[in-house]
Amino acid sequence: MHGFSATLKRAMSGSGPHDDRSMLIAVNRDDGLGGRLLAMANAKSLADRLGYRFGFTWNSRDITDQESHTVDVVGKIFSAAFIEKHWLGEKIKASDFGVLGGTAFTPSDLDAAARQGTLRGWICDDFDVLDFFRDDDAEPVRRSEALRAFGFSPAVRQALDAAGKCRFPGPMAALHLRSGDIVYGHHRRRLVFADKVIPSTLAKAIVSELSSRGLTTLLIGQDHATLDYLKAETGALRTDDFGAGDFRGEEALSAFFEMALMARCQQIHAGGSIYAAVASVMGDVPCVGASALFSKSRAAEIILEELRAHQSDYHPLEAAFGYQWTLLTLEDEISPARARELLEKAQMLDPRNDAYDLKMAAACFRDGDPASGEAILKSLMTSQSMARSKIPLPMMDILTDRLGGRLTMEKDFEVFFAAANAGHPYAMACSAYILLEVLGNRTSAVEMAARLVKTEPGNPIFRRIRRRVALGKKPKSGRMARAMWRLGRLRTSWL
């Protein structure tokens, strides 16, 4: 584990005679277990097809506080031989590599780049990288063989073997009900991740539909109380029924066991779960969303029916997520008044979720009730300013954070701008920050912030927003640029 093979060292250092096939297809992700494994399956299968080397980075120390991810050390996941052959250490110098994904590429493109001798290889972190690979009429790249051929550690292999020996009662379909970081964690405030999860409030209907097709449902998820309830109500099976409890306390082993069980099912139903995607690759079985069984409008109708009848049977955040999923699914089709009804129900169950307040304010503006919208924004901004004087406030981060190219409140920006132009100051405060951070229009942002202060010259929150807007966007890189930005605070302190 403490070094690479001599050949791999030469490939990384650039020493020795140049050989096109010493080039690396490398994975350099630092997220959770599922994300790393999926990228590795892509990269290894591509490297095998092209005759290049495969390598991956991985932590040699436990990671326990990475946005709800826990990632064991490399030696607990992979065998010594696999590590010796393919492990590149904890990190690589990304500037020495090209990046695959985003644009089409062919084997000849990579060969030509290799002959130039300016790169050590390519980073292959994009989950969809194989969609951009073109190889004439050759067979599709097979990720399943690459993933199954990984050299896993004895403990991981034991978990995989245990799953393979389980006796199923008949044809099965897996239903992955992700919860942790999206339903219960901080990601629920960002709203853009709703499609990564099949709501637990839809599960009964899914189990019933699968049963009508002759399939027994295997429930996989993180909230044990919810899974116990669904099993009691539907007769679906849990991974604990097949021995998952034997791996309790060993998160990675439990994950491998459950992924291997899913891989043995005839189909997997999941949102955007990467664990489910890895299981799909592992077993070469289809992974489909809830829309494979119900249209989105029908699914939303089912969820609302379930909540009307059984809301108290679910954890409040599970129920709130049901309303959230329904709102985001139907948002373009329902009236602002209907949106407010759904938001009110979600807020009652999850009152600390600031995203609901922002969406409610937008719904009020859209519904011709600017006074209520302003009151919501004022209450939220004032309470957050009492806890944190620094701008941006948490609500502003929700407004402007970009995650995977998506924004929580993007559909509501025009509503905020319209309210701001109509003279509503708290909508102005939000709009000034959106103009700066999202649209990059510093001139308009400064003008909006100046108007804001004129409406209430004595409002300390508005003055802080004007100072922050005057600074411009904070540079994300460049030591000198960031230092100059911080110095700008002194120049704007008089505003």
Side-chain angles (χ1 to χ4, degrees):
M1 185 193 300
H2 299 292
F4 314 125
S5 66
T7 304
L8 189 54
K9 281 184 178 178
R10 285 197 298 272
M12 290 303 295
S13 66
S15 62
H18 179 70
D19 175 4
D20 288 355
R21 299 306 160 183
S22 70
M23 299 288 282
L24 280 161
I25 305 291
V27 172
N28 192 40
R29 295 187 70 93
D30 61 358
D31 52 351
L33 176 66
R36 298 185 190 200
L37 290 174
L38 185 59
M40 287 174 64
N42 289 336
K44 181 67 165 60
S45 61
L46 188 59
D48 290 347
R49 162 71 72 86
L50 299 172
Y52 288 111
R53 298 184 182 278
F54 161 72
F56 69 101
T57 59
W58 201 282
N59 48 291
S60 60
R61 292 171 292 181
D62 284 326
I63 296 176
T64 57
D65 186 22
Q66 190 186 49
E67 294 191 353
S68 303
H69 294 301
T70 298
V71 183
D72 277 339
V73 299
V74 64
K76 290 185 178 180
I77 304 298
F78 300 102
S79 67
F82 190 79
I83 291 168
E84 173 65 20
K85 186 174 183 180
H86 299 295
W87 186 51
L88 304 177
E90 296 205 350
K91 59 180 65 176
I92 56 177
K93 188 177 179 182
S95 60
D96 290 343
F97 291 79
V99 177
L100 297 180
T103 58
F105 64 96
T106 67
S108 59
D109 292 333
L110 301 191
D111 287 344
R115 287 193 293 272
Q116 292 176 7
T118 56
L119 297 175
R120 294 179 180 173
W122 297 271
I123 291 174
C124 186
D125 285 351
D126 190 331
F127 291 150
D128 299 321
V129 66
L130 297 181
D131 292 340
F132 299 97
F133 179 57
R134 307 286 184 267
D135 194 10
D136 297 329
D137 297 324
E139 288 290 321
V141 176
R142 303 280 291 185
R143 297 181 296 173
S144 53
E145 287 89 343
L147 178 57
R148 288 194 292 262
F150 283 176
F152 290 114
S153 69
V156 170
R157 181 56 57 191
Q158 181 182 4
L160 295 173
D161 290 344
K165 294 175 182 176
C166 291
R167 296 183 63 181
F168 283 176
M172 296 196 70
L175 174 55
H176 190 271
L177 300 173
R178 179 174 179 162
S179 56
D181 56 344
I182 295 176
V183 177
Y184 292 89
H186 66 281
H187 282 318
R188 75 184 195 276
R189 294 183 171 91
R190 289 169 162 169
L191 304 186
V192 299
F193 289 115
D195 60 357
K196 282 198 167 189
V197 182
I198 290 180
S200 62
T201 44
L202 185 60
K204 290 180 186 177
I206 291 176
V207 174
S208 177
E209 178 62 25
L210 291 173
S211 179
S212 73
R213 301 183 183 192
L215 295 170
T216 300
T217 301
L218 174 67
L219 300 173
I220 299 98
Q222 296 150 303
D223 183 65
H224 297 291
T226 297
L227 298 182
D228 286 341
Y229 167 70
L230 292 173
K231 176 183 176 179
E233 290 288 306
T234 66
L237 299 177
R238 293 194 50 191
T239 56
D240 279 355
D241 297 320
F242 297 97
D246 295 343
F247 301 99
R248 195 85 10 103
E250 294 284 349
E251 185 171 329
L253 299 184
S254 177
F256 276 105
F257 179 80
E258 292 189 334
M259 285 189 291
L261 281 181
M262 282 193 280
R264 292 184 55 203
C265 294
Q266 292 189 3
Q267 53 193 239
I268 300 170
H269 293 262
S273 165
I274 300 302
Y275 280 109
V278 173
S280 173
V281 172
M282 189 183 295
D284 232 352
V285 295
C287 185
V288 297
S291 59
L293 300 176
F294 309 108
S295 68
K296 285 194 170 183
S297 59
R298 177 55 185 151
E301 182 182 347
I302 291 169
I303 289 170
L304 293 179
E305 290 173 354
E306 176 67 9
L307 287 168
R308 275 193 291 271
H310 301 287
Q311 178 175 304
S312 61
D313 292 334
Y314 292 89
H315 187 286
L317 294 183
E318 294 279 0
F321 184 79
Y323 288 118
Q324 178 188 131
W325 193 93
T326 300
L327 169 71
L328 298 177
T329 297
L330 302 178
E331 190 170 16
D332 295 332
E333 304 169 18
I334 58 178
S335 67
R338 181 61 173 146
R340 291 170 71 171
E341 289 178 18
L342 294 173
L343 284 164
E344 285 172 358
K345 292 178 179 180
Q347 280 180 312
M348 288 180 62
L349 296 161
D350 187 11
R352 293 195 293 180
N353 192 334
D354 303 335
Y356 293 146
D357 293 290
L358 292 170
K359 293 293 288 187
M360 179 66 83
C364 290
F365 289 133
R366 195 175 276 114
D367 202 22
D369 185 9
S372 295
E374 273 288 286
I376 292 169
L377 294 179
K378 180 178 180 179
S379 175
L380 187 59
M381 202 172 288
T382 301
S383 63
Q384 290 190 354
S385 292
M386 293 174 65
R388 170 193 169 97
S389 61
K390 186 177 179 181
I391 303 297
L393 299 172
M395 61 175 287
M396 295 176 175
D397 284 335
I398 292 174
L399 277 171
T400 60
D401 273 358
R402 188 180 296 277
L403 296 159
R406 295 182 295 173
L407 291 152
T408 298
M409 300 288 296
E410 188 169 15
K411 291 183 178 181
D412 302 302
F413 286 167
E414 291 301 325
V415 175
F416 279 96
F417 294 155
N421 291 331
H424 300 291
Y426 286 90
M428 284 186 201
C430 294
S431 297
Y433 197 69
I434 292 169
L435 285 167
L436 176 69
E437 292 295 320
V438 178
L439 303 183
N441 189 338
R442 184 175 181 179
T443 300
S444 296
V446 169
E447 291 174 355
M448 181 73 74
R451 283 180 56 206
L452 173 66
V453 171
K454 283 183 180 179
T455 62
E456 293 186 28
N459 190 317
I461 303 173
F462 293 172
R463 296 184 70 87
R464 288 199 298 271
I465 290 173
R466 183 175 68 170
R467 286 197 294 269
R468 176 61 183 81
V469 168
L471 279 173
K473 292 185 71 171
K474 183 177 181 180
K476 292 184 178 180
S477 61
R479 190 173 299 176
M480 180 61 70
R482 284 180 290 184
M484 294 298 294
W485 187 87
R486 286 192 292 270
L487 285 173
R489 290 180 177 177
L490 300 176
R491 295 195 298 271
T492 60
S493 60
W494 58 274
L495 289 173

